[in-house]
Amino acid sequence: MLPLLLAFIGGCGTGEDKPVATQVAAKVNAAEITVSQVNNVLSKTPNVTPATEQRVKREILDNLIDQELAKQKAIENKLDRTPNVLQMLEAAKTEILARAYLESIATSQPKATPEEVRNYYNEHPNLFERRRIYNLEEIALPAREGLSETLRQQAAKVRNLQELATWLRAREINFTANNGVRAAEQIPLEYLEKIQSMKDGEIRVFELREGIQVIRLLASRQIPLSETAAAPKIRQFLYMQRSNTSIASGMKDVKAQAKIEYIGEFLVPAAEAEANARIKLEADAKAELEASAKAEAEAAEKDRERARAGLEAEQRADAIAKARAEAELARRAAEANASATPQKPSTITLEKGVRGL
């Protein structure tokens, strides 16, 4: 709800100083559009000058007329009775009333005193007296167990974030990269002092609530802000801080007095549900890594088995070839021996020869 309040307060322009006008600006069938309605929209319209005010007011009135005509046709066609429109109307009513209550708390807060402004200025020299503008490169990643330490070790080895991004892609780790110029007041206070102590070209890993951020400081330059120049911003900040604190405290009291019952899937508290979701994500990531490692191990084992099978086949082929070669050598040796041995004359032939004499 706090962003809702900020948006509401931020939309309030200088129209508060204008007198409330209630005269009719235009009639649309049976309805009337008042000057007060036109001035209300005008007060929230930026960049209006005295020279353009009348033209802008006429444009606003014409837009209000179009809206009124469209509304009348919607009612004529009974669109205001459809479940969708009824739900949106109820949501708009709830939002407007909630804004009104929160604004009533915010506007009741006292403004910061000159002493409070001075104390805040002196207590935050990094924002004002020693204010710097930083040119940064950033890589943002979702939180994962052990990833921060691994990133710190890798960041110490690389020369820039491009090399770190290549390392992350090789491991299929999702991330988003960004770069730009940040003023000191655009950096969370809990990290500002650490970033201010960084040297140009240095890379650091920060663990944030929403994840992990790797920052490389390209360059920085000092642009201090005097107390006089900073005073309006400090007053606004302290006022908003005080308003937000009061709103949080007030809503806490309202909740304590109310009867709130969560039903169904919402029975689990938000913190517990978030913790469970984080545990599931980490378990899924771990299971994915284990499955990937198992697949790689199985693929490596299959490669080894194929290599062993190939080697065994090659050895068998070599053995067969060797056996064939040995058999061929033996056959040739046997043939050579047979041809070299003298033959004894046949007995039958000898006998025939004797008889023939």
Side-chain angles (χ1 to χ4, degrees), residues 64-83:
L64 290 174
I65 290 172
D66 289 345
Q67 286 182 6
E68 179 60 34
L69 287 170
K71 184 190 82 171
Q72 291 178 12
K73 293 300 292 183
I75 294 173
E76 181 182 331
N77 295 334
K78 299 181 180 179
L79 296 178
D80 58 325
R81 302 180 186 180
T82 62

PDB file of all heavy atoms in Angstrom, residues 64-83:
ATOM      1  N   LEU A  64     -13.361  15.041 -20.693  1.00  0.00           N
ATOM      2  CA  LEU A  64     -14.382  14.707 -19.690  1.00  0.00           C
ATOM      3  C   LEU A  64     -15.742  14.499 -20.348  1.00  0.00           C
ATOM      4  O   LEU A  64     -16.528  13.637 -19.921  1.00  0.00           O
ATOM      5  CB  LEU A  64     -14.457  15.809 -18.631  1.00  0.00           C
ATOM      6  CG  LEU A  64     -13.249  15.909 -17.692  1.00  0.00           C
ATOM      7  CD1 LEU A  64     -13.373  17.133 -16.785  1.00  0.00           C
ATOM      8  CD2 LEU A  64     -13.108  14.644 -16.845  1.00  0.00           C
ATOM      9  N   ILE A  65     -16.028  15.283 -21.378  1.00  0.00           N
ATOM     10  CA  ILE A  65     -17.289  15.107 -22.113  1.00  0.00           C
ATOM     11  C   ILE A  65     -17.323  13.734 -22.793  1.00  0.00           C
ATOM     12  O   ILE A  65     -18.332  13.023 -22.747  1.00  0.00           O
ATOM     13  CB  ILE A  65     -17.470  16.241 -23.152  1.00  0.00           C
ATOM     14  CG1 ILE A  65     -17.751  17.580 -22.432  1.00  0.00           C
ATOM     15  CG2 ILE A  65     -18.599  15.911 -24.134  1.00  0.00           C
ATOM     16  CD1 ILE A  65     -17.751  18.784 -23.346  1.00  0.00           C
ATOM     17  N   ASP A  66     -16.197  13.361 -23.419  1.00  0.00           N
ATOM     18  CA  ASP A  66     -16.126  12.048 -24.062  1.00  0.00           C
ATOM     19  C   ASP A  66     -16.317  10.935 -23.035  1.00  0.00           C
ATOM     20  O   ASP A  66     -17.013   9.942 -23.301  1.00  0.00           O
ATOM     21  CB  ASP A  66     -14.774  11.883 -24.763  1.00  0.00           C
ATOM     22  CG  ASP A  66     -14.651  12.763 -26.004  1.00  0.00           C
ATOM     23  OD1 ASP A  66     -15.693  13.267 -26.477  1.00  0.00           O
ATOM     24  OD2 ASP A  66     -13.514  12.953 -26.485  1.00  0.00           O
ATOM     25  N   GLN A  67     -15.705  11.103 -21.875  1.00  0.00           N
ATOM     26  CA  GLN A  67     -15.843  10.093 -20.827  1.00  0.00           C
ATOM     27  C   GLN A  67     -17.298   9.985 -20.364  1.00  0.00           C
ATOM     28  O   GLN A  67     -17.824   8.881 -20.162  1.00  0.00           O
ATOM     29  CB  GLN A  67     -14.942  10.435 -19.645  1.00  0.00           C
ATOM     30  CG  GLN A  67     -13.461  10.196 -19.891  1.00  0.00           C
ATOM     31  CD  GLN A  67     -12.621  10.518 -18.660  1.00  0.00           C
ATOM     32  OE1 GLN A  67     -13.159  10.812 -17.591  1.00  0.00           O
ATOM     33  NE2 GLN A  67     -11.314  10.469 -18.818  1.00  0.00           N
ATOM     34  N   GLU A  68     -17.941  11.131 -20.194  1.00  0.00           N
ATOM     35  CA  GLU A  68     -19.329  11.140 -19.730  1.00  0.00           C
ATOM     36  C   GLU A  68     -20.247  10.478 -20.748  1.00  0.00           C
ATOM     37  O   GLU A  68     -21.129   9.680 -20.398  1.00  0.00           O
ATOM     38  CB  GLU A  68     -19.783  12.575 -19.460  1.00  0.00           C
ATOM     39  CG  GLU A  68     -21.227  12.715 -18.997  1.00  0.00           C
ATOM     40  CD  GLU A  68     -21.520  11.974 -17.699  1.00  0.00           C
ATOM     41  OE1 GLU A  68     -20.616  11.904 -16.840  1.00  0.00           O
ATOM     42  OE2 GLU A  68     -22.646  11.466 -17.549  1.00  0.00           O
ATOM     43  N   LEU A  69     -20.034  10.769 -22.045  1.00  0.00           N
ATOM     44  CA  LEU A  69     -20.845  10.153 -23.094  1.00  0.00           C
ATOM     45  C   LEU A  69     -20.646   8.637 -23.115  1.00  0.00           C
ATOM     46  O   LEU A  69     -21.609   7.873 -23.252  1.00  0.00           O
ATOM     47  CB  LEU A  69     -20.473  10.750 -24.452  1.00  0.00           C
ATOM     48  CG  LEU A  69     -20.964  12.189 -24.712  1.00  0.00           C
ATOM     49  CD1 LEU A  69     -20.328  12.742 -25.980  1.00  0.00           C
ATOM     50  CD2 LEU A  69     -22.491  12.234 -24.816  1.00  0.00           C
ATOM     51  N   ALA A  70     -19.381   8.216 -22.986  1.00  0.00           N
ATOM     52  CA  ALA A  70     -19.096   6.778 -22.970  1.00  0.00           C
ATOM     53  C   ALA A  70     -19.729   6.122 -21.751  1.00  0.00           C
ATOM     54  O   ALA A  70     -20.259   4.997 -21.831  1.00  0.00           O
ATOM     55  CB  ALA A  70     -17.585   6.549 -22.983  1.00  0.00           C
ATOM     56  N   LYS A  71     -19.687   6.810 -20.623  1.00  0.00           N
ATOM     57  CA  LYS A  71     -20.301   6.261 -19.404  1.00  0.00           C
ATOM     58  C   LYS A  71     -21.809   6.113 -19.574  1.00  0.00           C
ATOM     59  O   LYS A  71     -22.386   5.078 -19.204  1.00  0.00           O
ATOM     60  CB  LYS A  71     -20.001   7.183 -18.211  1.00  0.00           C
ATOM     61  CG  LYS A  71     -20.526   6.639 -16.883  1.00  0.00           C
ATOM     62  CD  LYS A  71     -20.445   7.669 -15.783  1.00  0.00           C
ATOM     63  CE  LYS A  71     -21.647   8.614 -15.880  1.00  0.00           C
ATOM     64  NZ  LYS A  71     -21.742   9.511 -14.689  1.00  0.00           N
ATOM     65  N   GLN A  72     -22.437   7.134 -20.157  1.00  0.00           N
ATOM     66  CA  GLN A  72     -23.883   7.071 -20.353  1.00  0.00           C
ATOM     67  C   GLN A  72     -24.279   5.912 -21.275  1.00  0.00           C
ATOM     68  O   GLN A  72     -25.263   5.222 -21.025  1.00  0.00           O
ATOM     69  CB  GLN A  72     -24.376   8.406 -20.923  1.00  0.00           C
ATOM     70  CG  GLN A  72     -24.290   9.558 -19.927  1.00  0.00           C
ATOM     71  CD  GLN A  72     -24.729  10.882 -20.520  1.00  0.00           C
ATOM     72  OE1 GLN A  72     -25.307  10.939 -21.612  1.00  0.00           O
ATOM     73  NE2 GLN A  72     -24.458  11.980 -19.806  1.00  0.00           N
ATOM     74  N   LYS A  73     -23.497   5.712 -22.348  1.00  0.00           N
ATOM     75  CA  LYS A  73     -23.784   4.615 -23.263  1.00  0.00           C
ATOM     76  C   LYS A  73     -23.555   3.265 -22.576  1.00  0.00           C
ATOM     77  O   LYS A  73     -24.304   2.304 -22.823  1.00  0.00           O
ATOM     78  CB  LYS A  73     -22.913   4.713 -24.516  1.00  0.00           C
ATOM     79  CG  LYS A  73     -23.226   5.910 -25.390  1.00  0.00           C
ATOM     80  CD  LYS A  73     -24.672   5.892 -25.890  1.00  0.00           C
ATOM     81  CE  LYS A  73     -24.942   4.771 -26.870  1.00  0.00           C
ATOM     82  NZ  LYS A  73     -26.329   4.807 -27.405  1.00  0.00           N
ATOM     83  N   ALA A  74     -22.557   3.188 -21.721  1.00  0.00           N
ATOM     84  CA  ALA A  74     -22.298   1.943 -20.989  1.00  0.00           C
ATOM     85  C   ALA A  74     -23.470   1.597 -20.088  1.00  0.00           C
ATOM     86  O   ALA A  74     -23.897   0.441 -20.008  1.00  0.00           O
ATOM     87  CB  ALA A  74     -21.019   2.074 -20.176  1.00  0.00           C
ATOM     88  N   ILE A  75     -24.018   2.612 -19.402  1.00  0.00           N
ATOM     89  CA  ILE A  75     -25.173   2.383 -18.525  1.00  0.00           C
ATOM     90  C   ILE A  75     -26.402   2.022 -19.358  1.00  0.00           C
ATOM     91  O   ILE A  75     -27.177   1.129 -19.000  1.00  0.00           O
ATOM     92  CB  ILE A  75     -25.436   3.627 -17.660  1.00  0.00           C
ATOM     93  CG1 ILE A  75     -24.267   3.851 -16.694  1.00  0.00           C
ATOM     94  CG2 ILE A  75     -26.757   3.491 -16.902  1.00  0.00           C
ATOM     95  CD1 ILE A  75     -24.350   5.145 -15.909  1.00  0.00           C
ATOM     96  N   GLU A  76     -26.549   2.705 -20.493  1.00  0.00           N
ATOM     97  CA  GLU A  76     -27.679   2.415 -21.382  1.00  0.00           C
ATOM     98  C   GLU A  76     -27.633   0.960 -21.874  1.00  0.00           C
ATOM     99  O   GLU A  76     -28.671   0.299 -21.992  1.00  0.00           O
ATOM    100  CB  GLU A  76     -27.636   3.376 -22.578  1.00  0.00           C
ATOM    101  CG  GLU A  76     -28.783   3.200 -23.566  1.00  0.00           C
ATOM    102  CD  GLU A  76     -28.657   4.138 -24.759  1.00  0.00           C
ATOM    103  OE1 GLU A  76     -28.078   5.235 -24.597  1.00  0.00           O
ATOM    104  OE2 GLU A  76     -29.129   3.761 -25.844  1.00  0.00           O
ATOM    105  N   ASN A  77     -26.433   0.478 -22.132  1.00  0.00           N
ATOM    106  CA  ASN A  77     -26.272  -0.905 -22.590  1.00  0.00           C
ATOM    107  C   ASN A  77     -26.149  -1.895 -21.430  1.00  0.00           C
ATOM    108  O   ASN A  77     -25.830  -3.064 -21.645  1.00  0.00           O
ATOM    109  CB  ASN A  77     -25.033  -1.017 -23.484  1.00  0.00           C
ATOM    110  CG  ASN A  77     -25.181  -0.229 -24.771  1.00  0.00           C
ATOM    111  OD1 ASN A  77     -26.286  -0.002 -25.246  1.00  0.00           O
ATOM    112  ND2 ASN A  77     -24.054   0.206 -25.334  1.00  0.00           N
ATOM    113  N   LYS A  78     -26.369  -1.402 -20.212  1.00  0.00           N
ATOM    114  CA  LYS A  78     -26.350  -2.225 -18.997  1.00  0.00           C
ATOM    115  C   LYS A  78     -24.990  -2.902 -18.754  1.00  0.00           C
ATOM    116  O   LYS A  78     -24.919  -3.981 -18.164  1.00  0.00           O
ATOM    117  CB  LYS A  78     -27.449  -3.287 -19.049  1.00  0.00           C
ATOM    118  CG  LYS A  78     -28.849  -2.680 -19.136  1.00  0.00           C
ATOM    119  CD  LYS A  78     -29.925  -3.743 -19.153  1.00  0.00           C
ATOM    120  CE  LYS A  78     -31.309  -3.097 -19.233  1.00  0.00           C
ATOM    121  NZ  LYS A  78     -32.396  -4.111 -19.269  1.00  0.00           N
ATOM    122  N   LEU A  79     -23.924  -2.253 -19.203  1.00  0.00           N
ATOM    123  CA  LEU A  79     -22.583  -2.799 -18.964  1.00  0.00           C
ATOM    124  C   LEU A  79     -22.179  -2.676 -17.504  1.00  0.00           C
ATOM    125  O   LEU A  79     -21.302  -3.403 -17.035  1.00  0.00           O
ATOM    126  CB  LEU A  79     -21.555  -2.078 -19.850  1.00  0.00           C
ATOM    127  CG  LEU A  79     -21.724  -2.244 -21.361  1.00  0.00           C
ATOM    128  CD1 LEU A  79     -20.672  -1.445 -22.110  1.00  0.00           C
ATOM    129  CD2 LEU A  79     -21.651  -3.716 -21.744  1.00  0.00           C
ATOM    130  N   ASP A  80     -22.815  -1.740 -16.797  1.00  0.00           N
ATOM    131  CA  ASP A  80     -22.492  -1.564 -15.387  1.00  0.00           C
ATOM    132  C   ASP A  80     -22.995  -2.718 -14.537  1.00  0.00           C
ATOM    133  O   ASP A  80     -22.689  -2.792 -13.342  1.00  0.00           O
ATOM    134  CB  ASP A  80     -23.077  -0.244 -14.871  1.00  0.00           C
ATOM    135  CG  ASP A  80     -24.588  -0.173 -15.056  1.00  0.00           C
ATOM    136  OD1 ASP A  80     -25.084  -0.713 -16.074  1.00  0.00           O
ATOM    137  OD2 ASP A  80     -25.265   0.412 -14.192  1.00  0.00           O
ATOM    138  N   ARG A  81     -23.751  -3.648 -15.137  1.00  0.00           N
ATOM    139  CA  ARG A  81     -24.273  -4.778 -14.390  1.00  0.00           C
ATOM    140  C   ARG A  81     -23.496  -6.064 -14.665  1.00  0.00           C
ATOM    141  O   ARG A  81     -23.811  -7.113 -14.076  1.00  0.00           O
ATOM    142  CB  ARG A  81     -25.757  -5.001 -14.736  1.00  0.00           C
ATOM    143  CG  ARG A  81     -26.632  -3.779 -14.449  1.00  0.00           C
ATOM    144  CD  ARG A  81     -28.077  -4.053 -14.806  1.00  0.00           C
ATOM    145  NE  ARG A  81     -28.909  -2.857 -14.669  1.00  0.00           N
ATOM    146  CZ  ARG A  81     -30.214  -2.808 -14.923  1.00  0.00           C
ATOM    147  NH1 ARG A  81     -30.833  -3.930 -15.347  1.00  0.00           N
ATOM    148  NH2 ARG A  81     -30.889  -1.690 -14.782  1.00  0.00           N
ATOM    149  N   THR A  82     -22.552  -6.014 -15.556  1.00  0.00           N
ATOM    150  CA  THR A  82     -21.782  -7.223 -15.864  1.00  0.00           C
ATOM    151  C   THR A  82     -20.808  -7.526 -14.726  1.00  0.00           C
ATOM    152  O   THR A  82     -20.294  -6.605 -14.074  1.00  0.00           O
ATOM    153  CB  THR A  82     -20.993  -7.047 -17.176  1.00  0.00           C
ATOM    154  OG1 THR A  82     -20.070  -5.967 -17.026  1.00  0.00           O
ATOM    155  CG2 THR A  82     -21.920  -6.758 -18.341  1.00  0.00           C
ATOM    156  N   PRO A  83     -20.541  -8.811 -14.456  1.00  0.00           N
ATOM    157  CA  PRO A  83     -19.653  -9.175 -13.332  1.00  0.00           C
ATOM    158  C   PRO A  83     -18.277  -8.518 -13.425  1.00  0.00           C
ATOM    159  O   PRO A  83     -17.736  -8.077 -12.415  1.00  0.00           O
ATOM    160  CB  PRO A  83     -19.553 -10.703 -13.453  1.00  0.00           C
ATOM    161  CG  PRO A  83     -20.794 -11.111 -14.170  1.00  0.00           C
ATOM    162  CD  PRO A  83     -21.097  -9.995 -15.123  1.00  0.00           C
TER     163      PRO A  83
END
